[in-house]
Coordinates of all heavy atoms in Angstrom, one line a residue:
Chain A
A25 N 23.9 12.0 14.0 CA 23.3 11.5 12.7 C 22.5 12.7 12.1 O 21.8 13.5 12.8 CB 22.3 10.4 13.0
L26 N 22.6 12.8 10.8 CA 21.8 13.8 10.1 C 20.6 13.1 9.5 O 20.7 12.0 9.0 CB 22.7 14.4 8.9 CG 23.9 15.2 9.3 CD1 24.5 15.8 8.0 CD2 23.6 16.3 10.3
V27 N 19.5 13.8 9.5 CA 18.3 13.3 8.9 C 17.7 14.4 8.0 O 17.3 15.4 8.4 CB 17.2 12.9 10.0 CG1 15.9 12.5 9.3 CG2 17.7 11.8 10.8
G28 N 17.7 14.1 6.7 CA 17.2 15.1 5.7 C 15.8 14.8 5.4 O 15.3 13.7 5.4
I29 N 15.0 15.9 5.2 CA 13.6 15.7 4.8 C 13.4 15.8 3.3 O 13.9 16.8 2.7 CB 12.8 16.8 5.6 CG1 12.9 16.7 7.1 CG2 11.3 16.7 5.2 CD1 12.2 17.7 7.9
H30 N 12.8 14.8 2.8 CA 12.5 14.8 1.3 C 11.9 16.0 0.8 O 10.9 16.5 1.5 CB 11.7 13.5 1.0 CG 12.5 12.3 0.8 ND1 13.5 12.1 -0.1 CD2 12.5 11.1 1.5 CE1 14.0 10.9 0.0 NE2 13.4 10.3 1.0
T31 N 12.2 16.6 -0.3 CA 13.3 16.1 -1.2 C 14.5 17.1 -1.0 O 15.7 16.6 -0.9 CB 12.8 16.2 -2.6 OG1 11.7 15.4 -2.8 CG2 13.9 15.6 -3.6
G32 N 14.2 18.4 -0.9 CA 15.3 19.3 -0.8 C 16.2 19.1 0.5 O 17.4 19.3 0.4
G33 N 15.6 18.8 1.6 CA 16.4 18.6 2.8 C 17.4 17.5 2.7 O 18.4 17.5 3.3
V34 N 17.0 16.4 1.9 CA 17.9 15.3 1.7 C 19.1 15.8 0.9 O 20.3 15.4 1.2 CB 17.2 14.1 1.0 CG1 18.2 13.1 0.5 CG2 16.1 13.5 1.9
W35 N 18.9 16.6 -0.1 CA 20.0 17.1 -0.9 C 21.0 17.9 0.0 O 22.2 17.7 -0.1 CB 19.6 18.0 -2.0 CG 18.7 17.3 -3.0 CD1 18.8 16.0 -3.3 CD2 17.7 17.9 -3.9 NE1 17.8 15.7 -4.3 CE2 17.2 16.9 -4.6 CE3 17.2 19.2 -4.0 CZ2 16.2 17.1 -5.6 CZ3 16.2 19.4 -4.9 CH2 15.7 18.4 -5.7
V36 N 20.4 18.8 0.8 CA 21.3 19.6 1.7 C 22.0 18.7 2.7 O 23.2 18.8 2.9 CB 20.5 20.6 2.5 CG1 21.3 21.4 3.5 CG2 19.8 21.6 1.5
A37 N 21.3 17.7 3.3 CA 21.9 16.8 4.2 C 23.0 16.0 3.6 O 24.0 15.7 4.2 CB 20.8 15.8 4.8
E38 N 22.9 15.6 2.3 CA 23.9 14.9 1.6 C 25.2 15.7 1.5 O 26.3 15.2 1.8 CB 23.5 14.5 0.2 CG 22.5 13.3 0.2 CD 21.8 13.1 -1.2 OE1 22.0 14.0 -2.1 OE2 21.1 12.1 -1.3
L50 N 23.5 8.5 6.5 CA 22.5 9.6 6.4 C 21.1 9.0 6.5 O 20.8 8.0 5.9 CB 22.7 10.3 5.1 CG 21.8 11.5 4.8 CD1 22.1 12.6 5.7 CD2 22.1 11.9 3.4
G51 N 20.2 9.7 7.3 CA 18.8 9.3 7.4 C 18.0 10.1 6.4 O 18.3 11.3 6.1
R52 N 16.9 9.5 6.0 CA 16.0 10.3 5.1 C 14.6 10.1 5.5 O 14.1 9.0 5.8 CB 16.1 9.8 3.6 CG 17.5 10.0 3.0 CD 17.6 9.2 1.7 NE 18.8 9.6 1.0 CZ 20.0 9.0 1.3 NH1 20.1 8.0 2.2 NH2 21.1 9.3 0.6
L53 N 13.8 11.2 5.6 CA 12.4 11.1 6.0 C 11.5 11.7 5.0 O 11.8 12.7 4.4 CB 12.2 11.9 7.3 CG 12.7 11.4 8.6 CD1 12.2 12.4 9.7 CD2 12.2 10.0 8.9
D54 N 10.4 11.0 4.7 CA 9.3 11.6 4.0 C 8.2 11.7 5.0 O 7.7 10.7 5.5 CB 8.8 10.7 2.8 CG 7.8 11.3 2.0 OD1 6.9 11.9 2.5 OD2 7.8 11.2 0.7
V55 N 7.8 12.9 5.4 CA 6.9 13.1 6.5 C 5.4 13.1 6.1 O 4.6 13.4 6.9 CB 7.2 14.4 7.2 CG1 8.6 14.4 7.8 CG2 7.0 15.6 6.3
S74 N 10.7 6.4 4.1 CA 11.6 6.9 5.0 C 12.7 5.8 5.3 O 12.4 4.6 5.2 CB 10.9 7.2 6.4 OG 10.0 8.3 6.2
D75 N 13.9 6.3 5.6 CA 15.0 5.4 5.8 C 15.9 5.9 6.9 O 16.5 6.9 6.7 CB 15.8 5.3 4.4 CG 17.0 4.4 4.6 OD1 17.0 3.5 5.4 OD2 18.0 4.6 3.8
I76 N 15.8 5.2 8.0 CA 16.7 5.6 9.2 C 17.6 4.5 9.4 O 17.3 3.5 10.2 CB 15.8 5.9 10.4 CG1 14.8 7.0 10.1 CG2 16.6 6.3 11.6 CD1 15.3 8.4 9.9
F78 N 20.1 3.8 11.2 CA 21.0 3.8 12.4 C 20.1 3.7 13.6 O 18.9 3.9 13.5 CB 21.8 5.0 12.5 CG 21.0 6.3 12.3 CD1 20.3 6.9 13.4 CD2 21.0 6.9 11.1 CE1 19.6 8.0 13.2 CE2 20.2 8.1 10.9 CZ 19.5 8.6 11.9
I85 N 20.7 13.9 17.1 CA 20.2 13.9 15.7 C 20.0 15.3 15.3 O 19.5 16.2 16.0 CB 18.8 13.1 15.6 CG1 19.1 11.6 15.7 CG2 18.1 13.5 14.3 CD1 17.8 10.8 15.7
I86 N 20.4 15.6 14.0 CA 20.1 16.9 13.5 C 19.2 16.8 12.3 O 19.5 16.1 11.3 CB 21.5 17.6 13.0 CG1 22.4 17.8 14.2 CG2 21.2 19.0 12.4 CD1 23.8 18.3 13.8
I87 N 18.0 17.4 12.4 CA 17.1 17.4 11.2 C 17.6 18.5 10.3 O 18.0 19.6 10.7 CB 15.7 17.7 11.7 CG1 15.2 16.6 12.7 CG2 14.7 17.9 10.5 CD1 13.8 16.9 13.3
V88 N 17.6 18.1 9.0 CA 18.1 19.1 8.0 C 17.0 19.3 6.9 O 16.4 18.4 6.4 CB 19.3 18.5 7.2 CG1 19.8 19.5 6.2 CG2 20.4 18.2 8.2
D89 N 16.7 20.6 6.7 CA 15.7 20.9 5.7 C 16.2 22.1 4.9 O 17.1 22.8 5.3 CB 14.3 21.2 6.3 CG 13.2 20.9 5.3 OD1 13.5 20.5 4.2 OD2 12.0 21.0 5.7
D90 N 15.6 22.3 3.7 CA 16.1 23.3 2.8 C 15.5 24.7 3.2 O 16.2 25.6 3.5 CB 15.8 23.0 1.3 CG 14.3 22.6 1.1 OD1 13.6 22.4 2.0 OD2 14.0 22.3 -0.1
A101 N 8.3 15.8 11.3 CA 9.5 15.0 11.3 C 9.9 14.5 12.7 O 10.4 13.4 12.9 CB 10.7 15.9 10.7
I105 N 10.5 10.7 13.9 CA 11.8 10.2 14.5 C 11.5 9.5 15.8 O 12.1 8.4 16.1 CB 12.7 11.4 14.7 CG1 13.3 11.9 13.3 CG2 13.9 11.0 15.6 CD1 14.1 13.1 13.4

Side-chain angles (χ1 to χ4, degrees):
Chain A
L26 298 184
V27 174
I29 300 177
H30 276 297
T31 306
V34 169
W35 296 333
V36 177
E38 284 167 354
L50 185 65
R52 296 171 172 83
L53 285 185
D54 185 320
V55 299
S74 291
D75 177 26
I76 303 293
F78 50 81
I85 287 179
I86 301 173
I87 298 175
V88 180
D89 208 358
D90 49 358
I105 286 170

